[in-house]
Amino acid sequence: VDMSVLPKLAPIIKQTQNTIDAMTKMDTPQSIASLHLNIINSLERLVENIIDIKLFDTDIIVSMGAISQYGKNTTALSSDIKNLQNAIREKLNN
């Protein structure tokens, strides 16, 4: 395992946390608020996974757990984004 890549995760974590912060401050119409919240929650789970993956050299058990969850959480985020896109398209077409 190439441990030199672990510090490269820090900017990804920071950028995603900034996105989450911005999204939580965003005014969201009630009709799509739950979909918006789903995306925030999915992003939060991914950040937690990345933070735990970064522990690979100090806590392998936690890191491996995060690695095993990362794919599932990425799929959930993709699904949440598609659901929000579909809801917005539907609102625009009505």
Side-chain angles (χ1 to χ4, degrees):
V1 175
D2 182 5
M3 298 296 188
S4 70
V5 300
L6 296 178
K8 295 177 182 179
L9 296 175
I12 296 168
I13 293 166
K14 181 68 175 156
Q15 182 179 9
T16 307
Q17 288 173 327
N18 289 342
T19 300
I20 292 167
D21 289 343
M23 288 182 73
T24 58
K25 295 173 186 171
M26 191 179 295
D27 288 330
T28 307
Q30 186 64 34
S31 60
I32 61 169
S34 64
L35 298 171
H36 180 82
L37 182 59
N38 290 345
I39 291 173
I40 293 170
N41 289 335
S42 289
L43 284 170
E44 186 64 42
R45 283 190 294 275
L46 283 178
V47 166
E48 290 171 7
N49 288 153
I50 296 168
I51 289 169
D52 289 347
I53 289 168
K54 200 172 169 205
L55 300 174
F56 192 86
D57 61 340
T58 59
D59 194 341
I60 190 70
I61 302 295
V62 170
S63 184
M64 294 302 287
I67 291 168
S68 71
Q69 292 295 311
Y70 185 82
K72 178 184 86 166
N73 290 331
T74 302
T75 301
L77 175 61
S78 178
S79 176
D80 292 337
I81 290 169
K82 286 179 186 175
N83 290 340
L84 181 60
Q85 288 173 330
N86 290 338
I88 291 170
R89 267 193 214 104
E90 186 176 307
K91 293 282 181 193
L92 293 173
N93 289 333
N94 289 334

